[in-house]
mmCIF file of all heavy atoms in Angstrom:
data_model
loop_
_atom_site.group_PDB
_atom_site.id
_atom_site.type_symbol
_atom_site.label_atom_id
_atom_site.label_comp_id
_atom_site.label_asym_id
_atom_site.label_seq_id
_atom_site.Cartn_x
_atom_site.Cartn_y
_atom_site.Cartn_z
ATOM 1 N N ILE A 323 -14.776 4.711 27.245
ATOM 2 C CA ILE A 323 -13.311 4.717 27.549
ATOM 3 C C ILE A 323 -12.794 6.197 27.803
ATOM 4 O O ILE A 323 -13.536 7.065 27.273
ATOM 5 C CB ILE A 323 -12.510 4.067 26.420
ATOM 6 C CG1 ILE A 323 -12.559 4.763 25.114
ATOM 7 C CG2 ILE A 323 -12.913 2.638 26.233
ATOM 8 C CD1 ILE A 323 -11.692 4.247 24.028
ATOM 9 N N LYS A 324 -11.732 6.318 28.435
ATOM 10 C CA LYS A 324 -11.234 7.629 28.771
ATOM 11 C C LYS A 324 -10.598 8.351 27.531
ATOM 12 O O LYS A 324 -10.707 9.555 27.420
ATOM 13 C CB LYS A 324 -10.128 7.573 29.859
ATOM 14 C CG LYS A 324 -10.645 6.933 31.160
ATOM 15 C CD LYS A 324 -9.407 6.778 32.125
ATOM 16 C CE LYS A 324 -9.835 6.049 33.387
ATOM 17 N NZ LYS A 324 -8.673 5.862 34.337
ATOM 18 N N GLY A 325 -9.988 7.592 26.743
ATOM 19 C CA GLY A 325 -9.290 8.182 25.503
ATOM 20 C C GLY A 325 -7.875 8.606 25.749
ATOM 21 O O GLY A 325 -7.174 9.018 24.861
ATOM 22 N N ARG A 326 -7.400 8.532 27.009
ATOM 23 C CA ARG A 326 -6.083 9.016 27.313
ATOM 24 C C ARG A 326 -5.000 8.105 26.694
ATOM 25 O O ARG A 326 -3.914 8.526 26.271
ATOM 26 C CB ARG A 326 -5.776 9.127 28.851
ATOM 27 C CG ARG A 326 -6.719 10.206 29.493
ATOM 28 C CD ARG A 326 -6.539 10.187 31.026
ATOM 29 N NE ARG A 326 -7.493 11.115 31.654
ATOM 30 C CZ ARG A 326 -7.788 11.042 32.953
ATOM 31 N NH1 ARG A 326 -7.196 10.172 33.708
ATOM 32 N NH2 ARG A 326 -8.663 11.905 33.468
ATOM 33 N N LYS A 327 -5.293 6.857 26.760
ATOM 34 C CA LYS A 327 -4.321 5.867 26.172
ATOM 35 C C LYS A 327 -4.141 5.951 24.672
ATOM 36 O O LYS A 327 -3.044 5.927 24.247
ATOM 37 C CB LYS A 327 -4.684 4.437 26.550
ATOM 38 C CG LYS A 327 -3.637 3.364 26.369
ATOM 39 C CD LYS A 327 -4.048 2.042 26.880
ATOM 40 C CE LYS A 327 -2.993 0.996 26.740
ATOM 41 N NZ LYS A 327 -3.355 -0.321 27.280
ATOM 42 N N ILE A 328 -5.266 6.191 24.057
ATOM 43 C CA ILE A 328 -5.050 6.362 22.584
ATOM 44 C C ILE A 328 -4.379 7.633 22.236
ATOM 45 O O ILE A 328 -3.586 7.738 21.334
ATOM 46 C CB ILE A 328 -6.495 6.293 21.830
ATOM 47 C CG1 ILE A 328 -6.352 6.334 20.349
ATOM 48 C CG2 ILE A 328 -7.382 7.447 22.304
ATOM 49 C CD1 ILE A 328 -5.615 5.179 19.709
ATOM 50 N N GLU A 329 -4.553 8.730 22.979
ATOM 51 C CA GLU A 329 -3.867 10.014 22.791
ATOM 52 C C GLU A 329 -2.374 9.723 23.004
ATOM 53 O O GLU A 329 -1.528 10.243 22.176
ATOM 54 C CB GLU A 329 -4.348 10.995 23.806
ATOM 55 C CG GLU A 329 -5.698 11.574 23.555
ATOM 56 C CD GLU A 329 -6.180 12.470 24.637
ATOM 57 O OE1 GLU A 329 -5.381 12.798 25.588
ATOM 58 O OE2 GLU A 329 -7.285 13.019 24.616
ATOM 59 N N LYS A 330 -1.956 9.040 24.049
ATOM 60 C CA LYS A 330 -0.549 8.754 24.301
ATOM 61 C C LYS A 330 0.024 7.920 23.197
ATOM 62 O O LYS A 330 1.092 8.127 22.711
ATOM 63 C CB LYS A 330 -0.412 8.061 25.630
ATOM 64 C CG LYS A 330 1.007 7.692 26.006
ATOM 65 C CD LYS A 330 1.059 6.997 27.389
ATOM 66 C CE LYS A 330 2.486 6.593 27.783
ATOM 67 N NZ LYS A 330 2.492 5.827 29.042
ATOM 68 N N ASN A 331 -0.794 6.825 22.736
ATOM 69 C CA ASN A 331 -0.279 5.985 21.675
ATOM 70 C C ASN A 331 -0.103 6.698 20.382
ATOM 71 O O ASN A 331 0.849 6.397 19.574
ATOM 72 C CB ASN A 331 -1.099 4.783 21.538
ATOM 73 C CG ASN A 331 -0.984 3.781 22.709
ATOM 74 O OD1 ASN A 331 -0.291 4.076 23.675
ATOM 75 N ND2 ASN A 331 -1.698 2.703 22.660
ATOM 76 N N LEU A 332 -1.057 7.579 20.062
ATOM 77 C CA LEU A 332 -0.884 8.328 18.825
ATOM 78 C C LEU A 332 0.362 9.171 18.757
ATOM 79 O O LEU A 332 1.097 9.174 17.731
ATOM 80 C CB LEU A 332 -2.132 9.304 18.714
ATOM 81 C CG LEU A 332 -3.383 8.617 18.199
ATOM 82 C CD1 LEU A 332 -4.567 9.654 18.357
ATOM 83 C CD2 LEU A 332 -3.314 8.122 16.793
ATOM 84 N N GLU A 333 0.695 9.780 19.877
ATOM 85 C CA GLU A 333 1.902 10.590 19.943
ATOM 86 C C GLU A 333 3.200 9.744 19.893
ATOM 87 O O GLU A 333 4.206 10.138 19.229
ATOM 88 C CB GLU A 333 1.959 11.460 21.158
ATOM 89 C CG GLU A 333 0.913 12.660 21.133
ATOM 90 C CD GLU A 333 1.289 13.728 22.076
ATOM 91 O OE1 GLU A 333 2.235 13.715 22.742
ATOM 92 O OE2 GLU A 333 0.459 14.805 22.158
ATOM 93 N N MET A 334 3.178 8.622 20.594
ATOM 94 C CA MET A 334 4.303 7.763 20.504
ATOM 95 C C MET A 334 4.520 7.088 19.114
ATOM 96 O O MET A 334 5.679 7.002 18.653
ATOM 97 C CB MET A 334 4.166 6.627 21.566
ATOM 98 C CG MET A 334 4.357 7.095 23.023
ATOM 99 S SD MET A 334 4.553 5.758 24.165
ATOM 100 C CE MET A 334 2.966 4.877 24.026
ATOM 101 N N ALA A 335 3.445 6.756 18.453
ATOM 102 C CA ALA A 335 3.540 6.121 17.118
ATOM 103 C C ALA A 335 3.896 7.135 16.003
ATOM 104 O O ALA A 335 4.705 6.811 15.113
ATOM 105 C CB ALA A 335 2.216 5.373 16.809
ATOM 106 N N LEU A 336 3.306 8.333 16.098
ATOM 107 C CA LEU A 336 3.426 9.235 14.940
ATOM 108 C C LEU A 336 4.180 10.503 15.306
ATOM 109 O O LEU A 336 4.491 11.319 14.406
ATOM 110 C CB LEU A 336 2.044 9.673 14.367
ATOM 111 C CG LEU A 336 1.200 8.445 13.975
ATOM 112 C CD1 LEU A 336 -0.232 8.919 13.659
ATOM 113 C CD2 LEU A 336 1.828 7.724 12.845
ATOM 114 N N GLY A 337 4.526 10.645 16.616
ATOM 115 C CA GLY A 337 5.288 11.843 16.990
ATOM 116 C C GLY A 337 4.389 13.024 17.346
ATOM 117 O O GLY A 337 3.260 13.064 16.951
ATOM 118 N N ASN A 338 5.027 13.954 17.998
ATOM 119 C CA ASN A 338 4.252 15.232 18.349
ATOM 120 C C ASN A 338 4.417 16.266 17.184
ATOM 121 O O ASN A 338 5.131 17.186 17.269
ATOM 122 C CB ASN A 338 4.861 15.804 19.645
ATOM 123 C CG ASN A 338 4.093 16.974 20.163
ATOM 124 O OD1 ASN A 338 2.954 17.179 19.822
ATOM 125 N ND2 ASN A 338 4.715 17.783 20.944
#
Side-chain angles (χ1 to χ4, degrees):
I323 65 175
K324 300 175 186 176
R326 294 174 187 166
K327 191 170 183 180
I328 186 63
E329 288 175 1
K330 181 180 177 182
N331 286 6
L332 282 170
E333 289 201 2
M334 287 194 297
L336 303 175
N338 186 20

